[in-house]
């Protein structure tokens, strides 16, 4: 790649022209919006149409705002019927046309752009040349050409730099461009790869929407960013109906969400909802901590049976006949009558709360029928009866309206209710472990991360709380999505997978993960276990990513030693990058641990000036390490508070998964291993976060798997 390319100045002029066309398009869109906003008043229909059009314009302006991202990054020259003529297309982030509506830049997602990512020397897809630009904003830094046709196999690393096939080399497109981009310092935010998408990644991105697509890949293979590009591709290809149906991205934690939040906007797709699971059940107080054994029970599908039984236990016939003084006499409801009502309510209604109004109406009718006053006004009696505290007490006993929080609060704080709900599916030790001290009020009750899916299960069986008229408002229902992306799916429990599946409109999902990095209480042994809990409306597919782009070979070799013990059946990705140095293993004493950490931190931050460095440590040590850095007056951030945008960040190992950094210092690997059941997998994750430098600092003996 060089600035000496004979067409360098021509291509720079083209890029400048493309930006001029983009600015004109922006200006025109703003003018149209201003005209639309000026047309005030009119009928309700006119106002509705104006607001809808404004939403479209805002969306378009969002797409046109590229920020610092480059507009143009490549070109393809396609063969035509004439042997001496080519048809050229410049490939970019979004489509741009000139004033005559002639295309200037082709959207990377368009069918005509596919050969830019897929063509090989053996399958050129009609190309004569593929050109890669290294660009920074509007500035062209270099050009790399790959030639096809007679005498060429596609000049590039993929087929051998000398034009000869290299069977042992990974298949790569635009090798020089790729390495140049990979060598840049990290910013604490995941960037898009639209300019350097490789063939195996493109296959995933352009895969059919239907069914569940599993994207499997080891550390550094780009599976997360590929899944996000796939979401952008699907929105482009199926704009209608996906834009209305919605696309949901589910991440493992908020640190991760902050890390990926700029990818889709940089691709012109700002309307995608990105959440952690707790965001899908808002209105609850989370913060409670479960031990691994309790988390395992709450994540097991048996919990759905427990919740169903707990709800059924709250649909209760009377224990004794009830008489309510009314006027000069009494209104009665017998035990047998209440049994019939409860049985009919269970049979008629799928969701508990939806039956409340019907049960209430039937009880009123039954009690009025017991009146000995034949002249009484029925409507007056109904209204008066509903207001009586004694009557409300009867309804609340037989068929109360319940929220998920009320149900779980009552269930967890009562050993008797737990026994009734769980004794058929759990051992006494298991259901007794769910018991906790009752909070003084529901607002003070705290739930754990594992409770998120349990609360959602309760909501699916209870249904929303009815409005005053006894009806369920559509706005209170669980929203469904046309496509769902799940990252780090290997760490989700069956209950959590069931929760997400509930939000799938048509079973279309992209799920991303690595079995070797599964560290949760429900770590699966295979993708079959994961897929068993996801929609089956269409056949599922598994596509693997085998090439590691992020991690240098020397670091991957160390991590692979751990992988062989942590997940013997898994294969580490093939690294395409050679690192500048081998990982540093620093042995010290407990007394010298923090002074050595300070010393190595200063060294790494200095050598990676402007880069992103993380101290990855056991969760139990993050506060202590942060305090030590404060005492040493070393500025740093904390992943749990600020993400990883700071130059130096302390990152507990529990939230490091999915992140990439220029430099990483792993502290006390033995403690990381000992802290959880799948500790070796957690260590493997920690060792595979760095793109440039890795240090391992330990006072305790290294795990034997690292030696």
């Amino acid at each position: 790649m060089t600035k000496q390319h004979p067409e360098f100045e021509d291509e720079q002029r083209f890029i400048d022209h493309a930006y001029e066309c983009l600015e004109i398009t922006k200006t025109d869109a703003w003018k149209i919006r201003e005209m639309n906003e000026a047309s005030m008043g009119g009928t309700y229909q006119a106002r509705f149409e104006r607001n809808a059009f404004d939403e479209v314009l805002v969306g378009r302006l969002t797409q046109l705002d590229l920020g610092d991202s480059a507009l143009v990054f490549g070109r393809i020259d396609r063969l035509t019927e004439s042997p001496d003529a080519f048809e050229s297309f410049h490939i970019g982030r979004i489509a741009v046309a000139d004033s005559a509506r002639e295309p200037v830049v082709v959207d990377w997602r368009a069918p005509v752009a596919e050969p830019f990512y897929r063509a090989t020397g053996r399958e050129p897809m009609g190309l004569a040349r593929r050109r890669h630009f290294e660009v920074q904003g509007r500035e062209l830094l270099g050009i790399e050409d790959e030639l096809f046709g007679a005498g060429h196999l596609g000049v590039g690393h993929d087929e051998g730099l000398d034009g000869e096939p290299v069977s042992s080399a990974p298949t790569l497109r635009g090798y020089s461009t790729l390495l140049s981009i990979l060598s840049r310092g990290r910013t604490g935010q995941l960037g898009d790869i639209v300019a350097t998408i490789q063939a195996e990644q493109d296959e995933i991105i352009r895969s059919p929407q239907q069914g569940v697509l599993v994207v499997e890949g080891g550390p550094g293979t780009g599976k997360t960013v590929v899944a996000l590009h796939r979401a952008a591709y699907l929105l482009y290809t199926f704009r209608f109906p996906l834009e209305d149906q919605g696309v949901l991205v589910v991440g493992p934690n908020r640190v991760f969400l902050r890390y990926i939040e700029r990818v889709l906007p940089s691709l012109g797709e700002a309307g995608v909802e990105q959440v952690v699971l707790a965001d899908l059940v808002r209105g609850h107080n989370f913060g409670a901590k479960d031990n691994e054994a309790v988390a395992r029970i709450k994540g097991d599908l048996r919990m759905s049976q427990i919740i169903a039984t707990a709800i059924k236990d709250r649909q209760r016939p009377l224990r004794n006949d009830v008489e309510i003084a009314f006027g000069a006499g009494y209104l009665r409801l017998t035990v047998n009558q209440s049994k019939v009502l409860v049985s009919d309510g269970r049979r008629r209604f799928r969701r508990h709360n939806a039956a409340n109004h019907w049960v209430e109406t039937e009880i009123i009718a039954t009690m009025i029928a017991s009146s000995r006053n034949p002249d009484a006004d029925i409507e007056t009696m109904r209204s008066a009866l509903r207001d009586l505290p004694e009557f409300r007490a009867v309804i609340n006993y037989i068929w109360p309206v319940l929220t998920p929080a009320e149900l779980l609060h009552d269930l967890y704080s009562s050993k008797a209710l737990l026994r009734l709900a769980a004794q058929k599916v759990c051992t006494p030790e298991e259901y007794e472990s769910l018991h906790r001290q009752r909070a003084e009020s529901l607002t003070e009750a705290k739930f754990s991360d594992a409770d998120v899916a349990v609360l959602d299960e309760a909501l699916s069986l209870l249904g929303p709380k009815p409005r005053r008229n006894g009806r369920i408002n559509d706005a209170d229902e669980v929203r469904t999505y046309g496509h769902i992306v799940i990252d780090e799916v290997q760490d989700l429990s069956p209950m959590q997978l069931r929760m997400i599946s509930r939000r799938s409109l048509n079973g279309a999902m992209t799920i991303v993960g690595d079995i070797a990095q599964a560290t949760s209480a429900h770590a699966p042994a295979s993708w079959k276990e994961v897929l068993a809990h996801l929609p089956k409306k269409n056949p599922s597919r598994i596509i693997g990513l085998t090439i590691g782009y992020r991690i240098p070979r020397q670091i991957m070799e160390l991590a692979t030693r751990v992988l062989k013990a942590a997940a013997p059946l898994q294969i580490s990705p093939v690294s395409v990058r050679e690192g500048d140095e081998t990982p540093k293993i620093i042995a010290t004493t407990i007394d010298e641990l923090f002074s050595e950490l300070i010393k190595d931190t200063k060294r790494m931050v200095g050598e990676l000036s402007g880069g992103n460095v993380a101290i990855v440590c056991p969760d139990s040590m993050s506060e202590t390490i942060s305090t030590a850095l404060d005492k040493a007056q070393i500025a740093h951030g904390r992943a749990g508070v600020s993400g990883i945008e700071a130059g130096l960040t302390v990152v507990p190992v529990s939230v490091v998964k999915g992140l990439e950094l220029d430099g990483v210092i792993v502290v006390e690997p033995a403690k990381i291993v000992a802290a959880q059941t799948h500790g070796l997998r957690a260590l493997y994750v920690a060792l595979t976060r760095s793109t440039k430098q890795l240090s391992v600092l330990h006072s305790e003996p290294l795990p034997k798997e690292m030696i």
Side-chain angles (χ1 to χ4, degrees):
M1 177 171 292
T2 175
K3 284 191 175 184
Q4 307 307 313
H5 193 284
E7 297 182 35
F8 186 91
E9 291 184 1
D10 291 339
E11 294 291 14
Q12 180 64 72
R13 279 193 292 271
F14 183 91
I15 292 172
D16 293 338
H17 172 62
Y19 271 100
E20 289 169 4
C21 294
L22 176 63
E23 291 304 317
I24 292 171
T25 304
K26 283 184 185 179
T27 302
D28 290 345
W30 273 112
K31 287 179 179 177
I32 295 171
R33 192 183 183 206
E34 288 169 358
M35 291 170 60
N36 185 61
E37 289 178 339
S39 59
M40 304 296 291
T43 64
Y44 173 82
Q45 180 67 23
R47 294 195 302 273
F48 177 83
E49 291 175 356
R50 185 173 62 250
N51 291 337
F53 186 49
D54 190 66
E55 286 185 14
V56 173
L57 289 170
V58 169
R60 179 57 174 160
L61 286 166
T62 301
Q63 291 174 337
L64 296 173
D65 185 11
L66 300 180
D68 296 330
S69 301
L71 171 60
V72 188
F73 50 76
R75 169 180 145 183
I76 53 175
D77 295 342
R78 203 163 63 177
L79 296 168
T80 65
E81 294 181 358
S82 172
D84 300 322
F86 304 109
E87 188 178 24
S88 297
F89 299 92
H90 281 81
I91 312 300
R93 197 170 295 276
I94 58 173
V96 176
D98 61 19
S99 57
R101 302 300 180 202
E102 291 294 322
V104 176
V105 182
V106 174
D107 193 297
W108 67 276
R109 296 167 287 189
V112 73
E114 189 171 346
F116 182 77
Y117 301 108
R118 294 285 191 94
T120 67
R122 295 179 180 83
E123 295 184 21
M125 299 178 71
L127 295 191
R129 174 168 58 189
R130 174 169 50 210
R131 175 168 289 176
H132 302 268
F133 300 147
E134 185 182 3
V135 285
Q136 210 160 32
R138 302 184 180 212
E139 184 184 359
L140 180 62
L141 302 178
I143 296 175
E144 179 184 9
D145 280 341
E146 296 176 88
L147 304 179
F148 301 86
H152 299 286
L153 287 173
V155 179
H157 188 75
D158 59 320
E159 308 291 354
L161 294 174
D162 58 357
E164 295 296 321
V166 180
S167 58
S168 62
T171 303
L172 299 178
R173 309 285 175 259
Y175 183 64
S176 298
T177 308
L178 176 65
L179 288 188
S180 178
I181 291 173
L182 289 174
S183 65
R184 294 176 183 174
R186 298 303 180 266
T187 64
Q189 293 278 331
L190 183 63
D192 63 72
I193 58 167
V194 65
T196 58
I197 294 170
Q198 300 298 306
E200 67 170 7
Q201 297 173 326
D202 193 66
E203 179 188 358
I204 293 168
I205 291 168
R206 298 177 191 266
S207 293
Q209 183 197 2
Q210 295 79 14
V212 178
L213 174 64
V214 179
V215 182
E216 127 177 279
T221 54
K223 51 188 182 292
T224 295
V225 73
V226 164
L228 295 174
H229 282 66
R230 172 165 165 76
Y233 171 79
L234 292 175
L235 278 164
Y236 174 87
T237 308
F238 306 102
R239 183 68 64 185
F240 179 81
L242 264 187
E243 202 164 56
D244 288 333
Q245 295 172 349
V247 174
L248 179 70
V249 176
V250 182
N253 53 64
R254 299 201 187 281
V255 174
F256 180 85
L257 289 187
R258 286 195 291 271
Y259 178 61
I260 69 168
E261 65 185 359
R262 296 180 188 173
V263 175
L264 284 166
S266 75
L267 299 173
E269 303 295 346
V272 175
E273 194 171 345
Q274 301 183 55
V275 302
V276 296
L277 286 178
D279 295 332
L280 300 175
V281 289
R282 296 186 184 276
H284 301 92
N285 187 8
F286 295 104
K289 301 294 182 182
D290 290 327
N291 60 42
E292 196 167 300
V294 172
R296 187 177 292 109
I297 297 168
K298 290 181 178 180
D300 194 282
L301 285 186
R302 290 177 297 170
M303 204 68 198
S304 64
Q305 297 173 262
I306 293 171
I307 295 301
T309 305
I311 293 172
K312 193 174 181 180
D313 288 340
R314 303 297 295 272
Q315 301 163 353
R316 301 170 290 193
L318 295 171
R319 293 182 179 180
N320 300 293
D321 296 348
V322 167
E323 288 187 343
I324 296 177
F326 193 86
Y330 292 90
L331 300 180
R332 296 177 178 80
L333 182 69
T334 68
V335 170
N336 287 336
Q337 288 170 331
S338 69
K339 286 181 178 178
V340 172
L341 286 171
V342 169
S343 178
D344 286 350
R346 290 172 176 171
R347 179 171 51 82
R348 287 169 176 263
F349 295 89
R350 183 178 64 85
R351 299 191 297 182
H352 173 87
N353 286 339
N356 174 266
H357 186 69
W358 179 87
V359 170
E360 179 181 289
T361 301
E362 290 298 306
I363 290 175
I364 289 173
T366 302
M367 296 186 81
I368 288 176
S370 72
S371 172
R372 296 182 179 180
N373 182 4
D375 300 324
D377 183 77
I378 302 298
E379 288 302 320
T380 301
M381 290 181 69
R382 283 176 180 163
S383 180
L385 190 56
R386 280 195 172 99
D387 292 335
L388 290 177
E390 299 94 324
F391 176 78
R392 301 310 318 168
V394 171
I395 295 295
N396 289 333
Y397 179 85
I398 295 176
W399 205 285
V401 172
L402 295 168
T403 66
E406 288 170 338
L407 181 75
L408 261 64
H409 186 223
D410 291 342
L411 179 65
Y412 288 159
S413 60
S414 170
K415 291 183 178 181
L417 290 177
L418 281 169
R419 183 177 66 255
L420 287 170
Q423 61 186 345
K424 291 184 179 180
V425 293
C426 291
T427 66
E429 292 77 18
E430 286 177 322
Y431 63 71
E432 287 174 5
S433 69
L434 298 175
H435 180 262
R436 67 188 188 197
Q437 193 69 34
R438 186 176 184 84
E440 291 189 7
S441 67
L442 187 61
T443 56
E444 295 180 8
K446 288 187 177 181
F447 298 97
S448 68
D449 288 343
D451 284 321
V452 171
V454 183
L455 287 163
D456 194 71
E457 183 73 23
L459 179 60
S460 73
L461 297 175
L462 291 170
K465 201 169 181 178
R467 301 295 175 97
R468 280 192 164 185
N469 60 4
R471 297 181 179 178
I472 304 297
N473 194 304
D474 289 344
D476 298 330
E477 297 284 5
V478 169
R479 182 184 174 183
T480 56
Y481 297 84
H483 199 87
I484 298 177
V485 177
I486 313 173
D487 210 329
E488 305 297 349
V489 70
Q490 75 279 348
D491 285 332
L492 296 184
S493 71
M495 285 291 289
Q496 290 169 327
L497 293 170
R498 180 181 173 98
M499 171 184 177
I500 298 173
S501 297
R502 197 174 286 126
R503 286 158 173 80
S504 176
L505 180 64
N506 50 24
M509 291 185 177
T510 304
I511 66 171
V512 179
D514 178 12
I515 298 294
Q517 297 185 59
T519 56
S520 73
H522 289 272
S526 68
W527 288 114
K528 183 179 179 181
E529 292 182 27
V530 176
L531 290 168
H533 308 293
L534 294 175
K536 301 174 180 64
K537 294 182 181 179
N538 292 287
S540 59
R541 294 154 290 154
I542 301 174
I543 303 180
L545 292 170
T546 60
I547 301 171
Y549 304 98
R550 182 185 72 221
I551 307 167
R553 179 187 57 79
Q554 297 94 324
I555 294 177
M556 200 65 228
E557 285 177 353
L558 173 63
T560 300
R561 297 178 207 164
V562 178
L563 176 64
K564 289 178 179 178
L569 300 179
Q570 302 300 310
I571 300 172
S572 59
V574 178
S575 296
V576 301
R577 296 173 60 220
E578 191 77 16
D580 294 330
E581 55 187 87
T582 58
K584 291 181 171 60
I585 309 297
I586 305 170
T588 185
T589 64
I590 187 66
D591 294 333
E592 298 294 325
L593 178 68
F594 291 107
S595 61
E596 287 292 333
L597 175 61
I598 298 299
K599 185 192 301 181
D600 198 56
T601 299
K602 288 180 177 179
R603 176 198 62 79
M604 187 176 289
V605 169
E607 292 180 2
L608 298 175
S609 179
N612 211 265
V613 176
I615 299 171
V616 180
C617 61
D619 286 32
S620 60
M621 293 184 67
S622 62
E623 291 287 343
T624 310
I625 289 174
S626 184
T627 301
L629 293 172
D630 285 336
K631 288 182 179 178
Q633 298 183 333
I634 297 176
H636 66 282
R638 296 167 60 187
V641 178
S642 60
I644 57 168
E645 295 187 8
L648 172 68
T649 312
V650 178
V651 185
V653 71
S654 62
V655 298
V656 78
K657 197 173 294 179
L659 307 182
E660 62 179 44
L661 303 118
D662 294 300
V664 172
I665 303 172
V666 177
V667 180
E668 295 289 22
K671 286 184 183 292
I672 292 174
V673 173
Q676 58 189 100
T677 302
H678 299 288
L680 277 174
R681 293 184 177 185
L683 177 58
Y684 174 66
V685 172
L687 294 172
T688 54
R689 299 304 98 195
S690 175
T691 65
K692 293 180 179 179
Q693 290 192 21
L694 172 66
S695 293
V696 179
L697 180 65
H698 67 102
S699 64
E700 296 186 10
L702 286 175
K704 64 181 187 299
E705 293 80 7
M706 291 184 63
I707 301 172

